[in-house]
């Protein structure tokens, strides 16, 4: 999977400043809602927080991949935020999170959608790649890193 | 005098050769016990060594004593917690399993070798039990990591099934030597006596040993000796009263290993060494005892019997013995495959010789041949088979460089020392910033071979050794903190692939899964938490157990005794 299929430059943000997990998810919902016409940020937020009730989507090493199913999403929508200050995210390794990738999949989530999620999780488990993301100077650099990623 | 000198020379030489050869064994992938056996055979009459050794009673004595020591040591390493999942299946394997294996192999051997049925069954009984030494050394090597259900079943089985094989062998021998006087219920009395005395003397003897170790004031070096000879005493006492000494000494080892005992670190290390000595000695002597040229004519029937044992008798016995416990099929298959035979059959095969049975020579040689085939075929393939059946678990603690020292005058405390690895995440941290409970427990830090004073500690550097005072039950946590991290990313990736990407909150309602992923959960999931739902499908879970839900899997990540404390969600790849 190429990330450029689900991610566009306008849904990548490099300097988001938030103080809590909830605020981070709100910001992310606003970004994601840009991805499809019928989406309201509030509904996206509800979907994401619904998933978080099942357990934190923090992967460890400061990365989280909040995700949810949404009616009105024709195909997977991604968004990415780099937080200025890491926030506590209840991740299992206890580390605060500063890299957040959000993913919305259609209501009838199929195996293919879950595989997208797995591929994204694998991408963010590459610590060298995460170091590059943390060092990228601006939105554009972040986007080209994400869109140009090929598995090692 | 000349003879004594020569004997010491030969013994020293054989031990040194065996110790050196053990370096080769992991590279060749052969079980190290097989290497010892082959060294014995090479030293024997048909090999370059040319030693003519035919003393069956000496071999019997050496083998029995060595086996007692190996079982004692194995018992000490068996965590009582593994009994939770392993005890009942293992006991079933050790009784029903051995009986079924012995009957099938025995009947087939009688037919192939053209022996009277009872002598065939005698052979079956001799090769009926799996070998503790072989199974322990396999399970504690780094080649295979299996889940607790399989490990504990195999381990406890191999520790407890020798009494059954001994019972069947001795019972048949008694009948064969005097068929006219034999009354059938004597056999039952004999069995009850063997098992009953074994259990009683083993457990109470073990407790008495713990009690005396904790109360006696001995010189430090004498605690391990006290333990070793108490183990032998327990074996001897039980066996003299016609109980099962093997069972008793194994149980005593378990009691000793699972209680707080003074100087236990030293006792464990000492027994590690003694168990190695016993294994080398036993296998070399048994290798010496056999005449390899006499094995050749038996190759075809021997091979046939081995195949029946490995491919028919053992799988059937495992299936029957495990039927009440609902083991997953792949795990049953693996347990069937790891029916390693070892020293026990060879030691048992000396009994018919000592009893003067006509076909004793044939029975000994065939039993020896079967052990060889089992060690080669099964010993060689335990790792690949675990991978083939998808039972290999990711390694977790293999990379810790830890050494421990006892703390005199205390129980349950140790001083442990860790090496800070090249890429350890702890490098650059001050001692106060280390993620451990109580920094005052740091005893010293050694840098470039020197212990440095507290004021010069500064920040940790690669190559530092850090020594700490720790409670025994804190060790797993410390191991995690001080994991040598230069290969960790790879390990972590393997763990993620196995246990899943996300952690699931164990208190989350199961229906939240179907909300988040559109899964069709059965009615039984309603009003249950994720863990409760998991347990309603898999009632006795162990770490690594998985429950398939649509395209995803729930995987048990961590358990605290009987409780699931971490559960992972594995996405399809």
């Amino acid at each position: 999977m190429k990330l450029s299929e689900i991610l566009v430059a306008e849904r990548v943000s490099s300097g988001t400043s938030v103080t809590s997990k909830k605020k981070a998810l709100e910001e992310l919902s606003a970004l994601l809602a840009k991805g499809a016409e019928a989406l309201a940020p509030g509904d996206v937020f509800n979907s994401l927080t619904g998933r978080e009730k099942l357990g934190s989507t923090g992967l460890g090493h400061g990365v989280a991949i909040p995700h949810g199913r949404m009616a009105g999403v024709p195909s997977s929508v991604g968004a990415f935020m780099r937080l200025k200050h890491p926030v506590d995210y209840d991740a299992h390794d206890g580390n605060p999170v500063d890299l957040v990738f959000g993913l919305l999949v259609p209501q009838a989530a199929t195996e293919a959608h879950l595989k997208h999620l797995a591929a994204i999780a694998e991408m963010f488990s590459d610590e060298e790649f995460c170091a590059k993301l943390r060092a990228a100077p601006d939105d554009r650099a972040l986007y080209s890193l994400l869109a140009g990623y090929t598995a090692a | 005098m000349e003879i004594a000198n020569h004997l010491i020379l030969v013994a020293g030489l054989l031990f040194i050769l065996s110790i050196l050869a053990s370096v080769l064994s992991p590279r060749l992938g052969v079980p190290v016990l097989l290497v010892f056996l082959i060294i014995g055979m090479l030293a024997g009459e048909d090999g370059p060594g040319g030693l003519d050794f035919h003393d069956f009673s000496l071999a019997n004595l050496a083998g029995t004593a060595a086996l007692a020591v190996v079982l004692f040591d194995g018992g000490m390493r068996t965590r009582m917690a593994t009994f939770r999942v392993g005890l009942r299946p293992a006991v079933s394997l050790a009784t029903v399993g051995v009986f079924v294996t012995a009957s099938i192999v025995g009947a087939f051997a009688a037919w192939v070798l053209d022996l009277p049925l009872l002598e065939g069954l005698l052979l079956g009984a001799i090769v009926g039990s799996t070998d503790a030494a072989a199974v322990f050394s396999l399970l504690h090597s780094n080649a295979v990591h299996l889940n607790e259900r399989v490990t504990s079943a195999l381990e406890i089985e191999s520790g407890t099934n020798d009494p059954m094989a001994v019972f069947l062998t001795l019972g048949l021998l008694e009948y064969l030597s005097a068929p006219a006087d034999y009354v059938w219920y004597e056999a039952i009395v004999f069995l009850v006596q063997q098992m009953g005395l074994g259990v009683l003397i083993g457990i109470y003897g073990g407790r008495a040993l713990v009690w005396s170790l904790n109360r006696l004031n001995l010189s430090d070096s004498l605690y391990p000796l006290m333990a070793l000879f108490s183990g032998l005493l327990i074996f001897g006492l039980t066996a003299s009263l016609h109980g099962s000494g093997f069972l008793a000494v194994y149980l005593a080892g378990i009691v000793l290993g699972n209680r707080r005992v003074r100087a236990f670190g030293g006792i464990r290390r000492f027994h590690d060494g003694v168990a190695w000595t016993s294994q080398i000695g036993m296998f070399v002597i048994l290798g010496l005892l056999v005449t390899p040229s006499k094995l050749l004519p038996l190759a075809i029937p021997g091979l046939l019997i081995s195949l029946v044992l490995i491919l028919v008798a053992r799988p059937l016995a495992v299936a029957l013995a495990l039927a009440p416990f609902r083991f997953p099929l792949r795990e049953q298959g693996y347990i069937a495959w790891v029916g390693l035979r070892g020293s026990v059959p060879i030691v048992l095969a000396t009994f018919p010789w000592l009893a003067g049975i006509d076909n004793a020579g044939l029975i000994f040689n065939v039993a020896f041949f079967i052990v060889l085939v089992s060690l080669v075929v099964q010993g060689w393939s335990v790792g690949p088979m675990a991978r083939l059946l998808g039972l290999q678990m990711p390694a977790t603690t293999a990379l810790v460089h830890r050494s421990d020292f006892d703390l005199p005058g205390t129980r349950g405390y140790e001083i442990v020392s860790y090496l800070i690895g090249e890429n350890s995440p702890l490098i650059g941290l001050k001692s106060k910033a280390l993620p451990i409970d109580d920094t005052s427990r740091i005893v010293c830090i050694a840098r470039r071979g020197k212990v440095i004073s507290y004021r010069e500690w500064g920040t940790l550097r690669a190559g530092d050794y850090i020594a700490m005072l720790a409670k025994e039950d804190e060790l797993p946590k410390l191991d995690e903190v001080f994991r040598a991290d230069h290969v960790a990313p790879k390990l972590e990736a393997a763990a993620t692939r196995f246990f899943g990407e996300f952690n699931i909150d164990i208190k989350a309602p199961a229906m939240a899964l179907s909300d988040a992923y559109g899964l069709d959960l059965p009615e039984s999931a309603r009003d249950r938490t994720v863990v409760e739902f998991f347990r309603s499908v898999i009632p006795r879970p162990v770490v690594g157990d998985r429950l398939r839900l649509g395209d995803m899997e729930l995987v048990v990540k961590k358990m605290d005794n009987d409780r699931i404390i971490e559960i992972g969600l594995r996405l399809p790849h």
Side-chain angles (χ1 to χ4, degrees):
Chain A
M1 180 203 63
K2 283 293 247 183
L3 215 48
S4 51
E5 289 167 24
I6 60 171
L7 189 69
V8 296
E10 60 157 0
R11 293 200 299 273
V12 172
S13 147
S14 66
T16 318
S17 186
V18 292
T19 49
S20 68
K21 177 176 175 178
K22 180 168 171 265
K23 288 266 161 47
L25 288 176
E26 277 171 6
E27 290 287 332
L28 186 70
S29 304
L31 268 186
L32 281 166
K34 293 184 193 168
E37 273 172 36
L39 286 182
D43 296 339
V44 176
F45 179 77
N46 287 339
S47 169
L48 295 183
T49 47
R51 167 60 186 83
E52 295 295 325
K53 281 189 189 118
L54 194 53
S56 168
T57 53
L59 293 179
H61 305 292
V63 179
I65 309 183
H67 53 276
R69 291 188 305 144
M70 290 289 298
V73 176
S75 65
S76 299
V77 174
F80 179 77
M81 292 192 318
R82 188 179 69 192
L83 305 179
K84 235 183 200 149
H85 310 288
V87 294
D88 184 29
Y89 205 89
D90 308 322
H92 63 84
D93 66 349
N95 286 335
V97 160
D98 63 343
L99 300 180
V100 186
F101 193 103
L103 180 71
L104 290 181
V105 299
Q107 182 81 29
T110 61
E111 190 184 354
H113 293 120
L114 292 172
K115 280 186 174 166
H116 282 175
L117 186 57
I120 293 167
E122 197 163 341
M123 173 169 157
F124 280 97
S125 67
D126 179 346
E127 290 206 41
E128 248 170 71
F129 178 65
C130 291
K132 280 187 201 156
L133 289 175
R134 290 192 171 101
D138 53 21
D139 294 3
R140 188 190 297 228
L142 266 184
Y143 177 72
S144 58
L145 270 174
L146 289 164
Y149 181 82
T150 43
Chain B
M1 197 56 212
E2 202 58 4
I3 291 191
N5 292 343
H6 280 155
L7 275 179
I8 293 174
L9 172 68
V10 168
L13 194 65
L14 287 177
F15 266 95
I16 295 291
L17 278 176
S18 303
I19 291 166
L20 294 179
S22 71
V23 181
L24 285 177
S25 139
R27 287 185 208 166
L28 299 172
V30 246
V32 65
L33 305 178
L34 180 63
V35 175
F36 300 154
L37 202 57
I38 289 173
I39 286 181
M41 289 163 76
L42 288 176
E45 59 211 295
D46 288 336
L51 291 176
D52 209 358
F53 177 76
H54 286 290
D55 193 337
F56 275 77
S57 45
L58 178 63
N60 183 292
L61 169 66
T64 308
L67 211 53
V69 173
V70 170
L71 279 166
F72 191 50
D73 177 62
M76 264 188 250
R77 286 160 200 283
T78 305
R79 299 261 67 83
M80 199 75 112
T82 65
F83 274 40
R84 174 181 71 87
V85 280
L87 182 63
R88 290 186 303 162
V91 167
S92 172
L93 282 168
T95 49
V96 180
V98 172
F99 187 78
V100 174
T101 311
S103 313
I104 296 175
V105 173
F108 182 76
W111 178 70
V112 167
L113 297 169
D114 204 15
L115 288 173
L117 181 63
L118 281 174
E119 289 185 15
L121 288 176
L122 180 62
L123 178 62
I126 285 170
V127 298
S129 72
T130 62
D131 187 64
V135 172
F136 289 154
S137 79
L138 160 83
L139 293 178
H140 295 283
S141 78
N142 285 327
V144 276
H145 296 273
L146 303 160
N147 76 30
E148 193 190 355
R149 183 168 39 235
V150 177
T151 314
S152 61
L154 282 171
E155 195 169 74
I156 303 171
E157 177 204 13
S158 73
T160 51
N161 68 5
D162 303 328
M164 185 70 179
V166 173
F167 156 73
L168 290 174
T169 307
L170 295 185
L172 280 163
L173 269 179
E174 210 161 301
Y175 179 80
L176 281 169
S177 25
D181 312 335
Y182 203 78
V183 204
W184 65 269
Y185 60 75
E186 275 178 19
I188 309 287
V189 174
F190 183 59
L191 177 67
V192 171
Q193 193 176 4
Q194 286 270 314
M195 304 285 174
L197 284 177
V199 170
L200 278 179
I201 304 182
I203 291 178
Y204 287 100
R207 286 189 184 178
L209 171 59
V210 171
W211 187 84
S212 30
L213 281 174
N214 284 338
R215 271 169 193 70
L216 286 173
N217 268 322
L218 298 174
S219 140
D220 278 351
S221 334
L222 291 181
Y223 287 107
L225 285 178
M226 170 89 189
L228 174 66
F229 287 104
S230 304
L232 290 177
L233 179 68
I234 288 168
F235 178 93
L237 178 67
T238 318
S240 303
L241 296 171
H242 303 288
S244 169
F246 293 117
L247 185 59
V249 79
Y250 178 66
L251 291 176
I254 291 179
V255 172
L256 181 60
N258 284 282
R259 302 213 164 192
R260 293 245 156 109
V261 177
R262 182 154 54 183
F264 188 66
I267 294 176
R268 200 173 41 198
R269 254 195 313 284
F270 174 79
H271 280 82
D272 197 34
V274 177
W276 272 110
T277 314
S278 307
Q279 292 190 13
I280 295 176
M282 164 168 66
F283 278 90
V284 169
I285 285 183
L286 295 174
L288 273 173
L289 186 63
V290 76
T291 311
S293 56
K294 286 195 187 145
L295 293 182
L296 269 182
L298 293 170
I300 291 173
L303 214 51
L304 284 175
I305 300 171
S306 310
L307 287 180
V308 166
L309 167 66
I310 295 173
L311 299 175
V312 182
R314 169 81 179 167
L316 258 176
V318 169
L320 269 173
L322 293 183
F325 305 103
R326 296 202 304 161
F327 268 52
L329 207 58
R330 288 184 302 170
E331 293 178 8
Q332 278 191 35
Y334 192 74
I335 291 174
W337 188 253
V338 189
L340 281 164
R341 314 289 132 164
S343 54
V344 185
I346 312 181
V347 173
L348 284 181
T350 59
F351 281 108
W353 193 288
L354 298 177
I357 300 285
D358 288 343
N359 286 314
L362 176 70
I363 291 177
F364 178 82
N365 286 328
V366 174
F368 195 97
F369 193 89
I370 293 172
V371 170
L372 274 185
V373 174
S374 167
L375 279 179
V376 172
V377 174
Q378 292 170 305
W380 218 310
S381 57
V382 284
M385 195 53 116
R387 281 186 287 278
L388 189 73
L389 289 170
L391 294 176
Q392 186 82 328
M393 303 242 297
T396 45
T397 54
L399 296 156
V400 182
H401 296 279
R402 184 182 91 197
S403 7
D404 30 58
F405 314 92
D406 317 306
L407 208 56
T410 61
R411 272 181 260 162
Y413 284 92
E414 282 182 41
I415 292 181
V416 293
S417 161
Y418 292 95
L419 169 66
I420 307 291
E422 282 292 326
N423 298 317
S424 166
L426 304 174
I427 293 172
L429 286 185
K430 289 211 162 123
S431 60
K432 277 195 188 116
L434 285 175
I436 53 179
D437 285 345
D438 186 355
T439 42
S440 66
R441 295 255 183 92
I442 298 177
V443 176
C444 73
I445 292 179
R447 187 169 292 158
R448 289 194 219 100
K450 276 189 198 143
V451 173
I452 51 181
S453 85
Y454 173 75
R455 270 161 301 154
E456 293 167 42
W457 280 3
T459 56
L460 287 178
R461 300 182 197 166
D464 282 1
Y465 283 89
I466 180 164
M468 256 168 306
L469 173 64
K471 254 192 243 163
E472 247 175 82
D473 41 14
E474 291 173 339
L475 290 181
K477 224 163 113 196
L478 286 176
D479 281 354
E480 200 149 310
V481 172
F482 289 97
R483 227 167 41 180
D485 267 38
H486 45 287
V487 250
K490 223 166 126 193
L491 269 185
E492 209 172 286
T496 304
R497 258 197 303 282
F498 189 88
F499 291 111
E501 287 80 359
F502 298 108
N503 269 23
I504 296 295
D505 186 350
I506 52 172
K507 288 192 209 82
M511 290 321 272
L513 271 170
S514 78
D515 294 341
Y517 296 103
L519 296 171
D520 250 342
L521 293 187
E523 196 52 35
S524 63
R526 210 166 286 283
D527 301 326
R528 282 192 159 127
T529 66
V530 172
V531 166
E532 285 163 356
F533 173 59
F534 194 99
R535 297 197 77 130
S536 71
V537 187
I538 301 174
R540 289 175 167 269
V542 295
V543 170
D545 273 353
R546 41 198 63 221
L547 175 61
R548 194 154 189 91
L549 297 173
D551 300 310
M552 298 182 300
E553 284 172 326
L554 291 176
V555 189
V556 178
K557 270 180 113 165
K558 222 183 239 176
M559 296 200 60
D560 176 23
N561 287 324
D562 207 21
R563 277 185 319 127
I564 297 179
I565 53 173
E566 253 181 59
I567 209 162
L569 180 70
R570 190 174 178 274
L571 301 166
H573 284 263

